[in-house]
Amino acid sequence: MPTFKLDGKEITAEPGTSILQAALDSGIEIPHYCYHEALTVVGSCRLCLVELNNSPKLVPSCAQNVQDGIEVRTHSDTVKQARESMLEFFLINHPLDCPICDKAGECELQDYTFKYGSSHSRMVEEKRVRPTKDLGGNILLYRNRCVMCTRCVRFYEDIVGESYLTVEDRGYRSDISIFPGKGLTHKMTGNIVEICPVGCLIDKDFLFNARVWNLETTKSVCPGCSAGCSINLQHKDNKIYRIRSRQNTQVNQQWICDDGRYLYHRYEKLERIGFPKKRGGEKLNNTSWAEALSIISDRLALVKRSRESEKVAVVGSAFATNEENYLLYKIFHDEIGCDKFFVYNREAEGEDEVIKSGFTVYSDKSPNYYGAKLILGERTDFWSEIKNGNIEVLYFLNGDIDIKVTDQQKELLKKLDFLFVQCVAMNDLVRLANVALPTAYFAEQSGSYVNAKGHVQKFQSALKPPSETKEGWQILADLYKTFNGGVSFVSVGDVVNDMAQNVSAFKDISFFKLGDEGLRIR
Ligand code: SF4
Ligand code: SF4
Ligand code: FES
């Protein structure tokens, strides 16, 4: 492996690594715009120039690979002067509108100018002013802020495999343009806002909504399909302001699709259940958690006493966490003696969509079908069991906010003696329940999912659920307590530890060991 000197420090890097990447890997910042680790190298912005002992001129460090014995200087006076001049060029026509720019606080033009630029401008000429372009979909192009790095153009060519954007004209007149007849409606489009190093590409969904330094970030997992992309939830005052991708080479590279990016709006519009509910004749009335849980535990205790556990069934969910599905199994199998476990999943939607980089948007829109099956088994057809009169008491755990219950299925549910439902929002299941328990959705709870490739990832709660709504694992831990002499699980990590001892697929897993990127379990 080539060994070379970087600012006097000896560094070893893989052959074929650029000087820029080797520097970044060893914690030395070289400012850059056109270089992006996932895209082809074009060496066009000239901001990454460094001094090399065997070259009479400065070289672009993104386009020069490491070689044995070379000496690189990234902070010499010549380099500093070149950087300062390049930044002066980038700012010639820039409107310096950071106070109203959404990128402020995470902008590489702002940061580099502060660190490496000049404190004043020699520019006395009028600036060129170009109107903002709407590129279609959610994307606005603030043309005066562009540094012409072409990351956005290359994203479509290298990652998506289709051309949407191009550079029109040359030199001073260069402009980012969309191919005629196209709008930026491709499912992967939101990523260009993330990789644009400056405030040129702006997402209308976030426009003027918040200053980024006021947002908190919580690591999470997208529940939009069985890819389970790693995401960051960015939130403030118990509200999500945006979802950003989180790098995970084993899962989503560093991208997310727009279905997942804007998914949080779906949850904002839900009619939440509000309070635990119990049936009184035709009506559902609000009740306390203690009463709701005691109705369920009394009914289940009666089943146990009268040795009628074969009448009880449990429907776990591909939309619920491993911890929720596991606790269901623990209560109903270990405490009640039930052996009828099913997994609810929605019909897949169309075909999987695979782009050039291999990133896939799955047609299975559940985040945890694989995890739920590992815990509860492969049975899914609980409707025929109800139809055949084999189920009288049903506990239905449902995390799918788009569940559709047909009229025929409603009639089947009415045949049950007892229907207990744990649900995120009001729907037909809740309306037919004897007891309904309001549960949190993914951003309001902690837990883990297993994606379509068998990769298990954890996520943490970012928001507080509404006051009488609880995290799903907590509801089930409270129910478990009623059978276990008041003793139960105190954290989601506790549940994972127990699951690791009792479900072979999760052997040796702990919430801590899952780390930020998760683990492959098959
Ligand atoms: S719009 Fe952004 S990503 Fe595209 S060329 Fe301009 S600065 Fe680069
Ligand atoms: S591919 Fe699936 S998991 Fe990934 S961001 Fe899109 S909807 Fe979410
Ligand atoms: S990052 Fe090297 S030339 Fe642009």
Side-chain angles (χ1 to χ4, degrees), residues 409-479:
Q409 289 166 342
K410 281 183 215 162
E411 289 310 313
L412 290 177
L413 291 174
K414 284 180 195 163
K415 285 171 58 177
L416 295 167
D417 279 355
F418 274 90
L419 173 62
F420 304 124
V421 171
Q422 186 177 323
C423 240
V424 171
M426 281 306 284
N427 59 27
D428 287 332
L429 282 180
V430 175
R431 286 181 200 100
L432 291 170
N434 294 86
V435 176
L437 307 173
T439 189
Y441 73 90
F442 82 100
E444 298 168 339
Q445 67 174 344
S446 303
S448 64
Y449 294 141
V450 185
N451 78 359
K453 291 180 179 161
H455 199 83
V456 53
Q457 295 180 85
K458 72 175 178 191
F459 54 95
Q460 306 275 7
S461 66
L463 310 180
K464 276 199 192 121
S467 65
E468 288 298 323
T469 298
K470 290 189 184 185
E471 293 192 40
W473 74 267
Q474 181 73 64
I475 295 172
L476 292 159
D478 289 348
L479 183 59

Side-chain angles (χ1 to χ4, degrees), residues 235-252:
H235 52 99
K236 180 171 77 97
D237 302 331
N238 216 37
K239 176 177 168 11
I240 294 177
Y241 279 81
R242 64 178 182 181
I243 290 182
R244 307 278 275 183
S245 65
R246 182 160 61 86
Q247 186 159 4
N248 189 339
T249 43
Q250 296 199 69
V251 177
N252 53 308

Side-chain angles (χ1 to χ4, degrees), residues 141 145-153 165 167 176 192 195-198 200-201:
L141 182 80
R145 300 175 186 156
C146 186
V147 292
M148 216 39 78
C149 67
T150 71
R151 284 188 190 183
C152 53
V153 175
L165 294 174
V167 180
I176 294 295
I192 61 172
I195 60 167
C196 176
V198 299
C200 183
L201 290 167

Side-chain angles (χ1 to χ4, degrees), residues 345-360:
N345 197 5
R346 209 191 309 150
E347 284 281 301
E349 293 172 16
E351 302 283 318
D352 293 350
E353 297 166 67
V354 189
I355 58 169
K356 184 179 174 187
S357 73
F359 179 97
T360 305

Side-chain angles (χ1 to χ4, degrees), residues 30-32 43 45-52 57-62 72-76 78-80 82-83 86:
I30 299 176
H32 58 279
C45 75
R46 290 336 227 201
L47 188 59
C48 69
L49 295 175
V50 292
E51 222 177 329
L52 216 57
K57 289 188 193 167
L58 297 179
V59 296
S61 59
C62 65
V72 183
R73 281 180 295 281
T74 70
H75 286 82
S76 67
T78 327
V79 171
K80 282 183 187 164
R83 270 178 202 161
M86 284 314 299

